[in-house]
Amino acid sequence: MQIKNMHIISLILTLFVVAILSGCATKVIENPQEIVVPLPPQDLSLFVKESHNLDNTKKLALKKEYLTYFFSPFDKKPKHNVKELQWGLREAYQDLGFGENLLPYQKEEIEELESEANLEAYPSVKKPAIITRNSNLRVLPTNKPQFSNPNQAGKGFPFDNWQNSAIYVGTPVLITHYSRSGKWAFVESGFVSGWILALDVGILNDNQVQSLKQMQDFLVVKKDLTPIKNSHQEYLESARIGMLLPLLGSTKTQYESQIFLRNSRGYAYALKVALNQDAFDKFPMNFSAQAVASLAQGIVGEKYGWGGMFGNRDCSMFLRDILGNFGFYLLRNSQAQMRQKSIQENKDSTLYFDLSHLNVEQKKDFIQQQAVPFATLLGMKGHIMLYIGELDGQIYILHDIWGLRTLQNETQEGRKILGQIVITPIEIGKHIQGIHQDKLLIDRIYGMRNLLLESEFDGTK
């Protein structure tokens, strides 16, 4: 009887230890969407503690740098060789992937795309042009998607490997090639390159190019998706935050601008438009924490759009667009944004800091000491975030995020989908069962980039 009781006590102790250990581990949850992840109030004004403006010298330098990049395609110097254009085909042949019906692609379908690309003739042209409709740049000349593995988190929808980026009306580009059918054009802009439907781009003549390059003043929109209409109040296009439009003149209530449309021969022609001053501002907008918060608040909650799909944004496009209104010219993907240097920087003057060798507490301390609210980028592999400051001792970020890593089963990760532009603590998911505790955002941050120095503010509030 005594031996039996000892076995019972031993079993209870074993179960107790297992329960304790299980409580310390990340709980596996079959449906990650059942995980509750509390979010803070989605109000950026809570993080605006100081609102200094940039001094005018810095503002003018940013504008000059931005326009240098913006109009760089008009220099007629192609950036890509044929091997770089073949990258998408090489990847497709190595992993055929899955199509829009979630069934595997056949090799013959990739061969058809290779034939349409006609890269043996690249580069076939060198024509300055301008985007005439909000459109997409594609890795290959097709609107069809390619997914790596629809059954794996981060590999299926919406992660179309052939979506490169959205691109807006009025963006200068250089056409360097046409597909075999002529349906697609390969274009290079100052920040991204890819295949675009030829109907969405118009060729410019030398006079138009020179006229655009000589323009000194431009406009940006303050309210995303503001309609642009002609003189008959007929819809032409939607103005997007991050879009640049020429400023031709103004009245008491309106700005005079222009957009370019494409004629039936493929050439661009300018059409004057009137824009209400309450929805637009002169470029660059005056940078301050308050100004960034006010602009970004209008698109907090916008749904996540991989590569700019569906008229939405991804993490790097969100930052490029918002900060672009203030004159910061960011490249297209997150890793390029973290590593790029401004024209003013050199090997002895960089605003990038390597955090990869620091532990979590050291990272947090460094960010708290060195980051500038609304002017510091935090990067990790595949994602980039904007530091917005501290609240109640926690570091907060603004970012366009797909989801948090979870343990879907013993061997496979899942995602707790957030799928939007959102304010979160940098340690979002900490101590929440089901969220992968070894792969929180703070664990994966490798670098920090300040967009400017605090000394570059003019000190006025």
Side-chain angles (χ1 to χ4, degrees):
M1 188 71 175
Q2 187 175 5
I3 294 175
K4 183 178 180 180
N5 288 338
M6 289 179 64
H7 279 302
I8 293 173
I9 293 171
S10 177
L11 178 60
I12 292 172
L13 287 173
T14 300
L15 292 173
F16 178 77
V17 171
V18 169
I20 291 295
L21 292 176
S22 298
C24 295
T26 300
K27 184 180 178 181
V28 176
I29 295 180
E30 289 188 7
N31 182 5
Q33 305 325 309
E34 295 177 356
I35 302 172
V36 177
V37 179
L39 294 175
Q42 297 298 293
D43 183 357
L44 287 169
S45 67
L46 298 174
F47 300 91
V48 180
K49 298 177 181 178
E50 293 183 339
S51 197
H52 301 305
N53 295 311
L54 282 187
D55 64 49
N56 198 52
T57 300
K58 179 65 174 181
K59 182 178 176 181
L60 291 175
L62 286 173
K63 179 180 179 180
K64 181 180 179 181
E65 179 178 7
Y66 192 103
L67 294 179
T68 298
Y69 280 116
F70 189 65
F71 287 119
S72 60
F74 289 168
D75 295 336
K76 301 182 183 180
K77 297 177 181 178
K79 295 182 290 187
H80 301 292
N81 57 45
V82 68
K83 287 186 178 180
E84 291 171 316
L85 267 70
Q86 290 170 334
W87 167 81
L89 287 168
R90 289 196 300 270
E91 292 290 314
Y93 279 123
Q94 289 176 10
D95 179 6
L96 295 176
F98 298 78
E100 65 270 31
N101 59 358
L102 303 185
L103 295 176
Y105 272 107
Q106 302 301 310
K107 184 179 178 182
E108 293 75 18
E109 294 176 276
I110 309 303
E111 290 173 343
E112 289 177 7
L113 291 175
E114 182 175 17
S115 175
E116 173 66 3
N118 194 28
L119 293 182
E120 59 270 21
Y122 176 86
S124 54
V125 295
K126 193 163 59 176
K127 296 180 178 180
I130 197 161
I131 301 301
T132 54
R133 289 199 300 190
N134 291 338
S135 189
N136 292 305
L137 295 187
R138 305 287 292 169
V139 174
L140 295 175
T142 178
N143 277 324
K144 300 288 188 180
Q146 191 237 31
F147 305 112
S148 295
N149 187 338
N151 296 317
Q152 290 185 5
K155 300 294 184 181
F157 182 87
F159 301 101
D160 174 8
N161 294 323
W162 292 343
Q163 172 69 8
N164 203 0
S165 178
I167 193 166
Y168 298 147
V169 161
T171 305
V173 295
L174 181 68
I175 300 175
T176 59
H177 190 54
Y178 286 103
S179 67
R180 193 177 300 276
S181 69
K183 179 179 178 179
W184 295 87
F186 189 87
V187 300
E188 299 178 356
S189 73
F191 70 101
V192 70
S193 303
W195 292 95
I196 188 172
L197 287 169
L199 294 176
D200 294 348
V201 59
I203 301 166
L204 296 168
N205 60 42
D206 289 342
N207 289 335
Q208 289 170 316
V209 168
Q210 290 306 314
S211 176
L212 283 168
K213 290 177 70 174
Q214 289 170 6
M215 285 187 178
Q216 300 296 313
D217 298 310
F218 295 85
L219 297 168
V220 288
V221 69
K222 295 182 290 185
K223 181 176 174 53
D224 203 37
L225 297 172
T226 295
I228 300 174
K229 298 181 179 181
N230 63 18
S231 59
H232 300 290
Q233 292 302 298
E234 297 163 335
Y235 175 86
L236 297 172
E237 189 51 273
S238 294
R240 306 302 306 273
I241 290 174
M243 175 190 290
L244 221 59
L245 295 171
L247 173 57
L248 305 180
S250 63
T251 65
K252 288 184 178 180
T253 60
Q254 292 183 319
Y255 292 117
E256 183 183 22
S257 184
Q258 67 181 24
I259 65 171
F260 282 89
L261 304 178
R262 180 188 187 273
N263 67 21
S264 60
R265 296 286 314 282
Y267 291 91
Y269 65 96
L271 180 68
K272 290 185 178 180
V273 292
L275 306 173
N276 292 331
Q277 289 192 16
D278 59 353
F280 290 82
D281 202 351
K282 292 180 180 179
F283 169 82
M285 296 172 64
N286 291 319
F287 180 91
S288 68
Q290 176 62 55
V292 177
S294 178
L295 181 67
Q297 189 68 57
I299 56 174
V300 167
E302 177 187 272
K303 294 181 180 180
Y304 180 89
W306 169 255
M309 290 171 62
F310 313 118
N312 298 327
R313 298 170 171 89
D314 56 22
C315 61
S316 55
M317 186 175 177
F318 161 61
L319 294 180
R320 173 180 161 74
D321 285 357
I322 287 292
L323 296 169
N325 266 32
F326 299 95
F328 296 98
Y329 196 91
L330 297 183
L331 298 176
R332 181 55 185 89
N333 69 65
S334 58
Q335 307 315 295
Q337 289 179 354
M338 285 301 297
R339 300 295 187 178
Q340 79 178 86
K341 289 187 176 183
S342 69
I343 292 174
Q344 289 81 20
E345 289 182 76
N346 55 54
K347 65 179 180 179
D348 299 317
S349 172
T350 180
L351 299 177
Y352 174 78
F353 304 93
D354 181 4
L355 307 185
S356 61
H357 60 289
L358 304 180
N359 62 35
V360 167
E361 293 305 315
Q362 289 171 330
K363 287 180 187 178
K364 289 161 59 177
D365 183 63
F366 191 90
I367 292 167
Q368 289 170 328
Q369 296 297 322
Q370 301 296 332
V372 181
F374 295 92
T376 292
L377 309 181
L378 298 171
M380 63 190 215
K381 185 178 180 182
H383 191 51
I384 192 164
M385 303 150 277
L386 181 68
Y387 167 77
I388 57 175
E390 296 178 49
L391 199 62
D392 298 327
Q394 283 200 77
I395 296 172
Y396 282 85
I397 51 178
L398 176 66
H399 52 147
D400 200 342
I401 182 172
W402 176 245
L404 304 175
R405 297 193 179 196
T406 67
L407 290 180
Q408 188 166 329
N409 55 47
E410 296 295 340
T411 60
Q412 187 178 5
E413 281 189 348
R415 293 291 186 275
K416 164 59 181 179
I417 297 174
L418 300 180
Q420 61 182 306
I421 298 171
V422 65
I423 301 167
T424 71
I426 203 168
E427 294 184 282
I428 183 172
K430 187 176 182 180
H431 301 318
I432 294 180
Q433 289 203 347
I435 301 298
H436 204 315
Q437 295 298 298
D438 293 333
K439 295 187 178 180
L440 300 177
L441 299 180
I442 186 65
D443 293 292
R444 296 154 58 206
I445 288 174
Y446 68 74
M448 181 180 105
R449 181 186 168 212
N450 287 341
L451 296 173
L452 44 81
L453 301 170
E454 288 197 84
S455 61
E456 292 175 309
F457 290 108
D458 64 13
T460 60
K461 293 188 180 181

